Amino acid sequence: AVHEGKVVSEQELTALLQPLLAQNSRNLVLFLQDRLSIDDFTYFSESYGNKNPFQNVNKHLVNFLQEILQSSPSSLVLPAVDCKATKYLLNVLQKSGDWKLTSVTNLNVSQLEVNASNPNLLVVQLQPLASDLKEISTLEAIAENDKIIGRVTMDLQERGIHFSVIYTAVRPSRISRRTDMVAELRRQLMAAEEEESSSYPPLNVTIGNDTCILFYASNFSLKANNSVLIDLTNATFLAQNVDISASECTDSNTTLSLKYTRPVNGISSLEIRFLMTNRFYEVSARRWSTLHSVEIIQDGDKLAKFIASSISAPAEYSFHCQLVGTSNLYPARLDRDPSNDEAKNWDVFISNLQIQGFNIINNQFSYASDCTGFFTPGIWMGLVTSIILLWILTYGIHMIMQLTTNSRFDDPKGPALSVPQTE
């Protein structure tokens, strides 16, 4: 029994799945999505006026799993699992040594080779859900993932292979409010939730024994032709389905190369390059690390180039910015190169970017130089308004201090008082 509000930890998940892992004939299929919560099965259902996207999942739940749920103690539904539990489970299975791990990223079911005589672990990477588009796009993405689940399970059933299925995600799509933190401030609560939802190490590029590049982002997404959203967060930092072998590091120039194979349907390969330089500037009498440009190469020949503006930090520091991208509202912008027509077809969205390409010590980020300066527009407006009000107050006090009273007074019993104009 799982109580309401209980978040299953890594060790608890392994203990709960131990009866499944201890079977003689083990074939486990892990459908891994980037974001998923138990409430999605209700929110994206026909009850809310949507076309039910979980056709295959609900079909199995109603027609196949209903009898198992009633007769077998091995069926399990966990509403809330810790974000690190899935990665922890994969590490435990890999260390056990007797599992044959097969990662399915191109979603080509017909080429799956499963030997039923040995334990098999199939990790199916489902396509990411749309995060910056409307709910209808999320609905379509879930429906497409449901079709993939149906194809894989039907293929294994037709081969007569007995298997078990785990459908989970890397992080939750909805974060429940903790009852013991109701009294806390809303800003503090949201900051704590954001920290829990994006707890994964940065991507590091190591040449020899030294780490020369560190790269981190809580959201790393692209949009092609104003319609196709490509979420690369999971592939870059969690699943690590990215090739960084083309990255280069020198004392003066560093290139972070991220290569992805079939990130979405219609794109066979995608490479993203972050070009950084390290130069000495006489005005400041120190060296500065600058993100010079960002390049997107589609299918090996289509190059889109973006010029980075105001993305620099002292060479000993890392660079951090809350929002980086092509939007005019972002504090650190990626401007499209006017001489490059391909850049018009791409939009870049990066949240909580932190990058360092030089002087990395102990495989950790150095002190971060933030893109937002100390004097923000709001601070300047407050200072100017305060100065104007202080000037008005000072002028008023000065005018009051200039007021004088008469030193002579008229006596009604005597002659009229005459005050010369010179006085």
Side-chain angles (χ1 to χ4, degrees):
V2 180
H3 300 284
E4 182 180 358
K6 169 67 175 176
V7 178
V8 180
S9 64
E10 306 96 41
Q11 292 80 6
E12 291 174 337
L13 178 63
T14 305
L16 290 171
L17 297 180
Q18 194 60 36
L20 173 64
L21 305 179
Q23 297 177 3
N24 295 328
S25 178
R26 294 172 291 176
N27 294 292
L28 183 61
V29 183
L30 175 61
F31 292 102
L32 191 59
Q33 202 165 271
D34 62 334
R35 296 181 291 110
L36 183 67
S37 293
I38 195 70
D39 295 337
D40 292 340
F41 292 91
T42 303
Y43 182 74
F44 294 107
S45 64
E46 296 175 349
S47 301
Y48 281 78
N50 301 317
K51 183 179 179 181
N52 188 5
F54 297 102
Q55 296 293 333
N56 290 286
V57 174
N58 288 339
K59 176 182 177 181
H60 286 272
L61 287 174
V62 174
N63 298 335
F64 177 67
L65 293 182
Q66 185 175 9
E67 297 180 359
I68 298 180
L69 288 172
Q70 295 176 356
S71 60
S72 174
S74 61
S75 300
L76 190 63
V77 177
L78 301 176
V81 180
D82 190 88
C83 299
K84 302 178 183 178
T86 303
K87 188 175 182 180
Y88 178 81
L89 177 63
L90 289 175
N91 293 333
V92 171
L93 294 176
Q94 291 177 2
K95 290 180 181 179
S96 63
D98 55 350
W99 288 87
K100 179 184 178 182
L101 178 63
T102 303
S103 181
V104 183
T105 56
N106 55 4
L107 304 177
N108 192 349
V109 183
S110 60
Q111 297 181 356
L112 282 178
E113 296 181 0
V114 179
N115 186 2
S117 60
N118 298 323
N120 295 278
L121 174 60
L122 305 179
V123 181
V124 182
Q125 299 284 347
L126 301 177
Q127 67 176 2
L129 306 183
S131 57
D132 293 335
L133 299 180
K134 298 180 180 179
E135 293 290 351
I136 184 63
S137 300
T138 304
L139 190 69
E140 293 175 352
I142 292 179
E144 183 64 27
N145 289 340
D146 182 73
K147 294 179 182 178
I148 296 171
I149 295 174
R151 289 200 300 267
V152 174
T153 54
M154 290 299 297
D155 181 75
L156 296 177
Q157 288 179 356
E158 292 176 355
R159 300 185 191 182
I161 299 175
H162 298 282
F163 60 93
S164 301
V165 173
I166 296 179
Y167 181 31
T168 185
V170 177
R171 59 184 184 270
S173 59
R174 289 172 175 81
I175 301 176
S176 302
R177 296 290 196 265
R178 288 173 51 185
T179 57
D180 58 345
M181 299 180 63
V182 175
E184 298 291 335
L185 295 177
R186 179 176 179 84
R187 180 180 180 88
Q188 295 176 352
L189 179 60
M190 295 183 67
E193 289 172 354
E194 183 178 357
E195 182 179 358
E196 293 177 0
S197 62
S198 58
S199 57
Y200 46 80
L203 178 70
N204 65 79
V205 177
T206 303
I207 297 180
N209 297 325
D210 299 328
T211 299
C212 60
I213 302 176
L214 289 175
F215 174 67
Y216 175 85
S218 61
N219 180 26
F220 183 28
S221 304
L222 307 176
K223 188 185 291 185
N225 300 320
N226 294 325
S227 58
V228 181
L229 182 69
I230 308 174
D231 191 348
L232 302 174
T233 309
N234 180 30
T236 305
F237 302 102
L238 293 165
Q240 295 184 353
N241 294 326
V242 57
D243 182 11
I244 58 175
S245 59
S247 302
E248 299 177 352
C249 296
T250 63
D251 294 337
S252 58
N253 295 279
T254 296
T255 301
L256 173 61
S257 175
L258 306 175
K259 294 182 180 180
Y260 305 89
T261 302
R262 296 190 60 84
V264 292
N265 294 331
I267 299 179
S268 60
S269 65
L270 187 67
E271 181 181 3
I272 304 174
R273 296 176 182 172
F274 294 84
L275 284 77
M276 293 174 284
T277 59
N278 182 12
R279 297 180 181 177
F280 180 81
Y281 292 87
E282 297 181 355
V283 176
S284 59
R286 67 182 309 170
R287 303 187 71 89
W288 286 78
S289 172
T290 304
L291 179 60
H292 183 265
S293 61
V294 177
E295 298 177 350
I296 301 176
I297 304 175
Q298 177 186 349
D299 299 331
D301 56 354
K302 298 180 181 179
L303 172 63
K305 186 175 182 180
F306 302 87
I307 306 299
S309 59
S310 304
I311 302 182
S312 61
E316 300 83 8
Y317 297 165
S318 63
F319 176 81
H320 174 269
C321 194
Q322 187 72 18
L323 294 173
V324 178
T326 53
S327 174
N328 295 329
L329 303 177
Y330 288 178
R333 289 188 53 193
L334 297 177
D335 299 322
R336 296 176 176 86
D337 190 347
S339 61
N340 185 266
D341 295 334
E342 191 65 27
K344 300 177 182 178
N345 301 326
W346 291 91
D347 292 297
V348 183
F349 308 98
I350 307 177
S351 301
N352 288 324
L353 170 69
Q354 188 168 4
I355 188 170
Q356 184 175 357
F358 305 95
N359 302 319
I360 297 176
I361 301 175
N362 297 329
N363 298 333
Q364 295 180 350
F365 281 113
S366 302
Y367 176 83
S369 176
D370 201 273
C371 61
T372 302
F374 179 78
F375 288 97
T376 61
I379 294 177
W380 280 114
M381 291 178 61
L383 289 175
V384 172
T385 305
S386 300
I387 292 174
I388 293 175
L389 293 177
L390 182 61
W391 180 83
I392 295 174
L393 178 62
T394 305
Y395 179 77
I397 294 175
H398 176 73
M399 295 300 295
I400 292 175
M401 293 177 63
Q402 296 300 318
L403 294 177
T404 59
T405 59
N406 293 330
S407 59
R408 300 178 183 180
F409 300 93
D410 193 6
D411 186 2
K413 296 182 180 181
L417 181 64
S418 177
V419 179
Q421 294 183 357
T422 55
E423 298 184 6

